[in-house]
Amino acid sequence: MTTLAAATNENLAEISNVLIYSAMAVYTLAFFAYIAEWILGSRSKVARTAAALTPKGAVKKAAPPVTVHQAGGTAVLERPKVVVRAASGSRDVPDGPGAHGGDEQGDLYGRIAVSLTVLGFLLALAGVLARALSVERAPWGNMYEFNITFSTTAVGVYLLLLALRKNVRWLGLFLTTSVLLDLGLAVTVLYTESDQLVPALHSYWLYIHVSTAILCGAVFYVGAVGAILYLFKDSYENKLAGGGTPGSFATSVLERLPASASLDKFAYRVNAAVFPLWTFTIIAGAIWAGDAWGRYWGWDPKETWSFITWVAYAGYLHARATAGWKGRKAAYLALVAFGCWLFNYYGVNIFVSGKHSYADVGLGVLRSAGF
């Protein structure tokens, strides 16, 4: 029976690997579909209106029709105010419909890309579940398992926002790119054979602490993407407001994104929403440490950098709430905080030894790099 169980677990591990590779293949197709959405979809309707109303527009449009209002029996002629994305000297710009620009061709490729993303997500989720069944535990015992779960969760957050009818399809291209890089790193450098956990990890706190850490990281990642794109879009709008002429490539890409103010608000709301859960993650980890090691806090490298990450995000949210820091300063703070989270996971796990180093991943990575 023991031999049969071992063979079954080994088969499940192989099935998990096949599913992860299949998910990578589908994500690759989704990546190209997102590329097609951005390249073949026309510029947004707002941008096309701007081009027509400016002297450089290829086609001159008639002036907007006037609207007649009846005020106390007197007809008042009022020309409507037209606010466009590319209007020089104005930062009061509306949001466009997303990457596809609102035309049928771009929207078709976008819907294909989202469908492929859903399929890739389901395959990756099945791969994570198969890995869990192969080891008969939560699939979070080493960096490989954490990576495949983290990337799957990040895609799940994106799809959830779409299901809630949030206009975030512009995230798709950047998400699939980073997910492919993350999974590529997982299957080539971080891969670890299925194995049982060390005794310290045999606790129900594994499900509570690690699952919330993965979810927080996925949401922090989405917020970081929003902050990065905000910086690019803000520079683009500043150049327009100053009378400059951005390059054709920058114009083609950045006019498909929401307005910078919307990206700034998006990053803030995402980070603010998940920060309480990150606080709970640290508290849960401290309680688990008390059960496993007899002390709640020992300034282990992982504990230290978790706290540094908490301080960085707390500083970001505090600056937004009290000092009125919005825009570029806030975006830089958000990216510094996410950088702390990345180092807490990759840097500490690979290059720093401590009580949280369970799978000797760091040694394997260093050897694979030739050290």
Side-chain angles (χ1 to χ4, degrees), residues 30-31 34 38 117 158 168-177:
F31 168 79
Y34 283 117
W38 282 72
T117 304
Y158 166 66
V168 294
R169 205 160 80 190
W170 45 270
L171 271 173
L173 175 61
F174 309 97
L175 179 71
T176 53
T177 302

Side-chain angles (χ1 to χ4, degrees), residues 37-44 48 99-103 105-106 256:
E37 178 189 20
W38 282 72
I39 293 178
L40 301 179
S42 64
R43 291 188 302 168
S44 71
R48 293 199 302 271
H100 60 280
D103 68 334
Q105 185 182 39
R256 290 170 165 82

Side-chain angles (χ1 to χ4, degrees), residues 43-47 85 93-102 167-170 233 237 254-260 262:
R43 291 188 302 168
S44 71
K45 294 177 180 178
V46 178
R85 182 185 300 269
V93 291
D95 286 336
H100 60 280
N167 181 22
V168 294
R169 205 160 80 190
W170 45 270
K233 188 59 181 284
E237 291 180 0
L254 295 175
E255 281 187 346
R256 290 170 165 82
L257 291 175
S260 62
S262 295

Side-chain angles (χ1 to χ4, degrees), residues 108-194:
L108 173 63
Y109 286 111
R111 287 187 282 112
I112 291 174
V114 172
S115 299
L116 289 171
T117 304
V118 172
L119 177 59
F121 167 76
L122 294 176
L123 288 171
L125 180 61
V128 171
L129 293 177
R131 177 77 176 197
L133 293 174
S134 72
V135 293
E136 300 178 355
R137 57 168 173 80
W140 309 319
N142 51 61
M143 286 186 67
Y144 168 74
E145 294 173 357
F146 192 98
N147 264 44
I148 62 175
T149 307
F150 167 76
S151 60
T152 303
T153 305
V155 176
V157 170
Y158 166 66
L159 294 177
L160 177 62
L161 290 174
L162 287 178
L164 294 175
R165 300 188 179 277
K166 304 297 182 182
N167 181 22
V168 294
R169 205 160 80 190
W170 45 270
L171 271 173
L173 175 61
F174 309 97
L175 179 71
T176 53
T177 302
S178 56
V179 164
L180 283 171
L181 292 174
D182 182 70
L183 290 177
L185 179 66
V187 300
T188 57
V189 177
L190 303 177
Y191 182 77
T192 304
E193 295 290 343
S194 300

